Amino acid sequence: MKLHRLVSATPVLATCALLVGLFAFGAISYPNFASAAVVRNLLVDNAFLVVAAVGMTFVIISGGIDLSVGAAMAFSATLAAALIEAGGVHPLAAAAVVLAAGLAFGLVQGVLIAVLDVPPFMVTLAGMFLARGAAFAVHPQSRGITHPFVATTLNETLAMHLPLGARGVTIPPTVVVMLLVLIGAWVLLRHARFGRAVYAVGDDACAARLMGLAVRRVKVGVYTLCGLTSAVAGLLFALYQQSGDPASCKGMELDVIAAVIIGGTLLRGGAGSVIGTFAGVMILGLIQTIISFQGDLSSWWTRIVAGGLVLVFLLLHQGIGVVARRVGRTADRQG
Amino acid sequence: MTREGGLLLEAEGLAVRFGSVRALDGVSLTVRAGEVQALLGENGAGKSTLIKCLSGVVRPTGGRMVLCGRRIEPRSPHEAERIGIATVFQEVGLIPRLSVAENICLGREPGRRWLRGLVDWRAVRSRARAAMDRLGLGGLDVDRELGTCSVAVQQMVAIARALDVRARVLILDEPTSSLDRDECARLLGVIGHLRAQEMGIVFISHFLDQVEAIADRVTVLRDGKLVGSFEAAGLTRAKLVSLMVGREFEMPTGKRETTGERGAGSLLSLRAFGRSGMIEGVDADVGAGEVVGLAGLLGSGRSETARLVFGAETATRGTMTFGGEASRFTTPRQAIARGIGMLPENRKEQGIFPSLSVVENLVVSLRAKDGAFSRLAFGSQVALAEEFVRQLGIKTADVHAKISELSGGNQQKVLLARWFAMRPVLLILDEPTRGIDVAAKADVLRAVDRLRGEGTAVLFISSELEEVTRVCGRVVVLRDRRSVAHLEGSDITEASVLAAVARTA
């Protein structure tokens, strides 16, 4: 009995094994690689990606896709910068406005997809153009954020100093937010009725409806959630860059989708986890780190390796799924 | 076996109209506690519509339903379940990637006391175990992923889910259509178990032997009307069938006549044919104008043999001679190019195009054969389709009707006609009569016989031995993925096939 449970967890295990393997490879190949600073940078540089990928994980498990994530992030960052710098709004109030906007944006997309039954690809493609255009409408250029609350309070006072390594490491609040989002999403997906319904809808929407689940509400829910995480990710990105740029985050939704797939979530829905997604983002980040340590490789190699990984993982997960089910059924017939 | 339990459910004069069609016309039904009631009728008789009324999927346009003395008007399966009518629909609608326990509780999971939105897994498990226990299947690991369970187990889980709410009436729509003999016996055992718990059970099946085995009462519908409700004890099979079809009835026989030659001159000949891990070795010969049956239990290798011949999977062992040449197909395309057709086991996967008309569904494979751009005059398409509609007795308003408006049995006939229209040299039929009613079965068997008369070789697979013995001129019996016996002519009886299956090596 334990066998097929292990088998269904294999995609995530494979992803985690790859993450560990990559780190070990870096540690062996380069001096100074295995340090607290490298891990810290990995988390800091990818916090916004992880948050965006968490929302995408919900969407993909439900059998959908959201192409608007990158544009929504850019819009959120631009709006936050404009409110704080031009509008004189306190950063916390600005963040609340941005989160509300992200939520509303996701909600509208979700309603169009679930109630009017428009394919998610088309709705979120339209959403992507709208959000990108809206970002430029808010402010056509990049704008630095110099508000003291952001520059000083958030990035310095609230940062945590951990006595790790020779000089210790500083963990900015973005990483804490990322961890909170991860934990919240894990509980929601794994242990909440909403999360279980997301899996059911993604696996077989017809069956889910016959079983009495509110399929439409679940779908609206995942897109709303993804709009919200995009807004959070946009805020983290603004904080990380200390600016809001309407031209930023172009194509980031595709990086996010790649990370989710590498993390073991099935593109056709019904399976996946946020732990895997986290590992997926970290794998992409590690590849980038390794290439920068190598020094003589162009950064395009990151893309080439990422492309190969997505392909390999798609094949791997497909294979594992088929084998697992066959093994289980055979055992059943004999047992 | 007659039981006089208390009256549970009473439906009176139910009527349903779809447009101008009367799908149900004044049908009454009573269900008593501790009783298994079989609901019988041909495809399109109104069985499905009746249970859809009871389970709240369809709202009747007339009549009334009373459950335990209270008038009910269920508006959704959900509401019906809540008031005590649970239904397991034909296509098991569960979520394969979630665990057995979650499938039983999904949508009504017990929540944690301090936060209702969070699932209390321990409660979920114990509720699932209790539900499986009620079916006498307490030993199953409820944490298993449902998709890794056999179809029979999945079926039991669907029933367990239906029972999880306090159901007093359980409706089962063809629960046995995808189960093999042992699994059926197990399911019938479960039904008996539930009957002993004073539940009222409505059971739809096309398998008359199952009806005889389990039903206390039989209700027969025909053309949307009630024919009658009878005590099962005094009912013969012949009487039942004539009630269902509304006329005296006889199954066709054609096995004794064989127009083709056999043995050395046969069209298809398999010798120690197989594939490692799939089929050990099968010997068989099929001549032109001959129907050869592949018999055996589920899992004995019948469908797998068919798939190997058709090139859906590539053989690695033995030899296959087709039309005098040694052949080994690696794709179905190659087999089709040589004039082989196959109707696979699973109707859902074999390419009904639901939004196309009967004609279009019929000519689609002719297009594949002659090329997508070859011209097939519209008039001749229609003539062809009308010819088959007549030959096979396909019940449809006209040939331009959407195929999805046809009943399951009639859709199956259209699929058969699709292959007939290709005029194949060899036609492989894998369970061509599964899930269709007696009259449709007879039509299909008659059509197979006609095809044989025209010189087509047919490889016929069916779980129903009765059909095999009626239609086949020769039978190859499979056991444990190899051929173990060859029967011919009058030697073919249900007993002789079963004896060959049961004989120990």
Side-chain angles (χ1 to χ4, degrees):
Chain A
M1 124 192 179
K2 298 296 176 238
L3 178 72
H4 21 79
R5 253 206 262 172
L6 190 66
V7 170
S8 59
T10 311
V12 179
L13 292 180
T15 308
C16 294
L18 180 67
L19 181 63
V20 172
L22 272 177
F23 192 81
F25 169 79
I28 293 166
S29 308
Y30 313 103
N32 305 329
F33 190 93
S35 65
V38 167
V39 177
R40 180 244 176 222
N41 288 343
L42 205 56
L43 292 175
V44 172
D45 295 342
N46 293 292
F48 58 89
L49 259 182
V50 169
V51 171
V54 161
M56 187 69 88
T57 306
F58 278 79
V59 170
I60 294 183
I61 291 175
S62 82
I65 194 84
D66 189 342
L67 299 179
S68 70
V69 168
M73 281 171 68
F75 172 75
S76 302
T78 314
L79 182 62
L83 285 174
I84 295 166
E85 295 303 319
V89 180
H90 188 273
L92 286 181
V97 172
V98 168
L99 292 182
L103 194 83
F105 178 68
L107 181 71
V108 171
Q109 291 198 131
V111 167
L112 287 174
I113 290 162
V115 180
L116 300 184
D117 214 15
V118 189
F121 186 95
M122 297 318 295
V123 171
T124 58
L125 185 71
M128 173 180 103
F129 287 126
L130 281 173
R132 181 67 66 185
F136 279 98
V138 169
H139 190 70
Q141 277 99 37
S142 175
R143 176 169 12 214
I145 303 175
T146 54
H147 192 285
F149 180 79
V150 175
T152 321
T153 317
L154 278 182
N155 277 340
E156 287 169 22
T157 319
L158 283 178
M160 285 193 293
H161 300 275
L162 299 179
L164 288 170
R167 282 167 292 165
V169 289
T170 308
I171 305 288
T174 53
V175 174
V176 178
V177 171
M178 174 197 83
L179 289 176
L180 289 177
V181 168
L182 265 179
I183 293 167
W186 182 78
V187 172
L188 189 59
L189 201 52
R190 205 69 219 142
H191 295 289
R193 304 169 72 161
F194 171 73
R196 306 320 289 166
V198 171
Y199 281 100
V201 168
D203 204 355
D204 188 340
C206 282
R209 202 176 63 85
L210 277 182
M211 291 171 93
L213 295 183
V215 174
R216 285 178 175 171
R217 237 181 282 165
V218 170
K219 283 190 179 175
V220 172
V222 294
Y223 289 97
T224 309
L225 188 75
C226 194
L228 186 65
T229 54
S230 299
V232 175
L235 290 174
L236 295 186
F237 187 70
L239 207 56
Y240 174 70
Q241 299 271 305
Q242 296 281 309
S243 69
D245 181 357
S248 64
C249 303
K250 273 208 172 123
M252 194 160 283
E253 58 280 348
L254 303 181
D255 294 335
V256 165
I257 292 170
V260 172
I261 299 297
I262 292 175
T265 297
L266 283 186
L267 195 51
R268 67 155 183 275
S273 70
V274 286
I275 306 293
T277 294
F278 174 72
V281 176
M282 288 300 125
I283 285 172
L284 290 180
L286 259 184
I287 294 167
Q288 212 153 6
T289 312
I290 288 172
I291 282 166
S292 70
F293 265 77
Q294 179 65 30
D296 54 358
L297 282 174
S298 113
S299 66
W300 288 111
W301 279 97
T302 311
R303 299 256 146 189
I304 292 172
V305 177
L309 273 185
V310 170
L311 213 56
V312 167
F313 269 75
L314 279 177
L315 297 175
L316 182 73
H317 297 154
Q318 195 77 21
I320 289 170
V322 171
V323 172
R325 261 148 274 281
R326 195 167 293 166
V327 167
R329 286 209 195 98
T330 315
D332 215 46
R333 202 164 287 162
Q334 287 159 353
Chain B
M1 185 163 36
T2 309
R3 290 157 189 254
E4 284 298 324
L7 200 61
L8 276 180
L9 178 69
E10 201 177 2
E12 235 182 71
L14 288 185
V16 171
R17 277 163 180 276
F18 293 123
S20 60
V21 182
R22 278 169 193 265
L24 214 54
D25 192 2
V27 171
S28 300
L29 178 81
T30 53
V31 184
R32 293 194 182 88
E35 168 188 83
V36 175
Q37 175 154 200
L39 191 55
L40 295 183
E42 293 186 71
N43 292 319
K47 296 169 309 210
S48 296
T49 313
L50 176 57
I51 63 162
K52 278 180 182 161
C53 287
L54 299 177
S55 61
V57 176
V58 167
R59 296 197 72 179
T61 44
R64 57 193 207 102
M65 291 178 271
V66 177
L67 181 70
C68 301
R70 286 236 297 276
R71 181 107 188 246
I72 55 164
E73 283 178 354
R75 270 163 304 195
S76 71
H78 218 48
E79 193 185 327
E81 269 178 15
R82 227 186 44 237
I83 55 180
I85 303 176
T87 310
V88 177
F89 292 98
Q90 198 172 355
E91 307 292 342
V92 179
L94 296 175
I95 311 295
R97 282 177 184 281
L98 297 184
S99 71
V100 168
E102 278 207 83
N103 268 290
I104 291 172
C105 299
L106 194 70
R108 45 176 189 248
E109 299 100 330
R112 293 198 184 270
R113 206 170 305 152
W114 41 276
L115 189 54
R116 296 284 307 150
L118 289 186
V119 180
D120 182 349
W121 291 110
R122 201 185 296 179
V124 166
R125 274 189 212 106
S126 70
R127 229 164 102 176
R129 275 197 208 103
M132 291 307 277
D133 238 6
R134 241 183 120 181
L135 304 182
L137 295 166
L140 189 84
D141 173 15
V142 295
D143 287 329
R144 249 180 95 167
E145 198 179 304
L146 183 76
T148 68
C149 299
S150 68
V151 180
V153 173
Q154 296 190 22
Q155 192 87 44
M156 312 276 183
V157 173
I159 295 175
R161 178 183 166 82
L163 291 180
D164 177 53
V165 274
R166 268 195 234 107
R168 280 172 290 195
V169 176
L170 176 66
I171 303 173
L172 300 167
D173 188 2
E174 290 201 43
T176 55
S177 63
S178 48
L179 304 184
D180 69 17
R181 247 163 214 270
D182 286 350
E183 292 172 333
C184 275
R186 207 164 152 200
L187 183 72
L188 293 186
V190 164
I191 293 175
H193 204 69
L194 294 173
R195 169 169 58 192
Q197 295 168 33
E198 291 299 297
M199 231 169 145
I201 295 155
V202 180
F203 176 80
I204 297 184
S205 175
H206 286 306
F207 299 99
L208 296 183
D209 48 345
Q210 289 167 12
V211 170
E212 283 166 4
I214 194 84
D216 302 310
R217 221 142 48 89
V218 177
T219 297
V220 182
L221 299 183
R222 189 170 67 229
D223 298 328
K225 292 196 182 77
L226 180 72
V227 174
S229 215
F230 311 89
E231 292 298 333
L235 219 52
T236 65
R237 188 176 287 208
K239 172 78 174 156
L240 250 184
V241 172
S242 55
L243 282 171
M244 284 163 67
V245 298
R247 60 188 143 90
E248 290 307 311
F249 182 76
E250 205 181 326
M251 288 289 247
T253 59
K255 69 176 182 191
R256 308 277 188 268
E257 323 144 22
T258 305
T259 57
E261 38 195 293
R262 292 178 187 172
S266 67
L267 177 73
L268 173 79
S269 143
L270 309 175
R271 290 289 172 271
F273 183 67
R275 175 184 166 91
S276 36
M278 192 172 164
I279 291 293
E280 297 296 325
V282 170
D283 294 326
D285 291 283
V286 189
E290 194 182 20
V291 181
V292 174
L294 284 182
L297 301 175
L298 197 74
S300 61
R302 296 171 311 195
S303 302
E304 291 83 352
T305 304
R307 290 173 60 81
L308 284 179
V309 171
F310 195 56
E313 234 128 345
T314 309
T316 58
R317 286 185 189 162
T319 57
M320 168 169 137
T321 318
F322 182 72
E325 281 174 47
S327 314
R328 177 160 295 179
F329 302 127
T330 53
T331 65
R333 255 182 93 81
Q334 295 169 352
I336 292 169
R338 296 286 303 276
I340 302 181
M342 177 161 98
L343 187 75
E345 191 176 8
N346 189 341
R347 198 190 304 160
K348 254 169 117 187
E349 283 169 14
Q350 65 196 13
I352 285 255
F353 300 107
S355 57
L356 296 185
S357 70
V358 171
V359 186
E360 287 162 324
N361 266 288
L362 227 153
V363 300
V364 68
S365 64
L366 282 179
R367 293 236 177 272
K369 188 177 155 206
D370 301 339
F373 299 106
S374 66
R375 197 165 161 278
L376 188 57
F378 187 68
S380 65
Q381 285 181 25
V382 173
L384 188 77
E386 276 168 351
E387 168 68 17
F388 279 114
V389 165
R390 202 174 43 74
Q391 262 188 30
L392 294 177
I394 299 173
K395 276 184 205 154
T396 173
D398 71 293
V399 296
H400 301 294
K402 263 199 202 176
I403 194 161
S404 52
E405 289 165 7
L406 271 57
S407 69
N410 285 308
Q411 291 185 6
Q412 178 79 343
K413 288 186 198 168
V414 173
L415 283 172
L416 266 178
R418 190 192 276 176
W419 285 111
F420 287 2
M422 301 250 312
R423 310 238 158 254
V425 182
L426 169 68
L427 184 61
I428 304 169
L429 300 172
D430 194 353
E431 302 281 1
T433 59
R434 168 174 291 174
I436 65 178
D437 67 62
V438 197
K441 261 177 201 168
D443 285 335
V444 167
L445 296 186
R446 230 176 264 123
V448 168
D449 198 49
R450 188 176 313 119
L451 202 66
R452 180 194 59 76
E454 291 167 6
T456 301
V458 180
L459 196 57
F460 185 88
I461 300 175
S462 173
S463 309
E464 287 187 65
L465 284 180
E466 196 199 356
E467 278 177 32
V468 173
T469 60
R470 279 181 189 281
V471 83
C472 297
R474 224 129 42 89
V475 172
V476 177
V477 181
L478 303 183
R479 188 180 64 226
D480 296 332
R481 303 185 290 174
R482 67 178 80 224
S483 53
V484 291
H486 296 257
L487 304 170
E488 218 167 300
S490 52
D491 291 343
I492 306 173
T493 60
E494 289 190 41
S496 65
V497 174
L498 277 175
V501 168
R503 203 178 300 138
T504 44

